Amino acid sequence: TAAPDATAGDKGRDGVVMGPGVTDSAIRLATLSDMSGVFATAGVSLAHAQKVYFDKVNADGGICGRKIELDIKDTGYDVQRTVTQYAQVRNEVLGMPAIIGGPMNVALFDKLKADQSLAVPISWASSLLKSPHMMLTGPASEYWVINSVEYLLEEDLVPAKAKIGVVHMEGESGDAVLAGAKAAAQLTGVTLVPQQVKATATDMAGVVTSFKNAGVDGIILNSTPTMTASVAGSAESAGLSVP
């Protein structure tokens, strides 16, 4: 943790600015990952990858002679739990190399701005682009959906006037995916068959049946790892062979 007498603007022996999360010997960061909730498969892998990365940074001498200390918190993909964990570490870390989940990042939007703390959201909700304190590592959801539909058409993976099933979760991330799908439909002439689901959903057999009955030619997924596996398994069982 930060030295008791280190305040924002103080400098270490080498002139590096001290303050929350930075001392003469360490730079402390926090990752708010889902290690036990609906995105645990991705969250555990992400946390392990970050540990491997920062272990390598430290082995190579750290940053400005300081070792990186990474505090990994398990949010369980719960908004209130994430907000509480952020409050616990906000004055002890320089920034957050990962915060998993659209709802969590939306809830922390104003707090990160007020604290002027840098975070990498593992979410591509377009509303996060408005914050200079959130660094998205990929295109906003609307754009990857539009690109996905165009790819399916350009590669002749679906017919020109295709029906596209869209699984979109409740919340800002899912809303962005649906908005992107609607924009793609307007641009390309495909027809959408949208299905909204809760983030806690596990059995997608009913959704797949609806898609099969509608005669979809392809499916876009805004889903958890469990949902994705269920869609794949249910589609195979139902004989729905589409990209």
Side-chain angles (χ1 to χ4, degrees), residues 12 26 62 94 133 143 149 192 198 227:
L94 179 62
H133 303 285
Y143 289 101
V149 173
L192 302 181
K198 294 183 180 296
M227 285 184 213

Side-chain angles (χ1 to χ4, degrees), residues 14 24-26 61-67:
D14 55 3
D24 270 333
S25 60
I63 297 176
C64 296
R66 291 159 171 79
K67 298 295 184 181

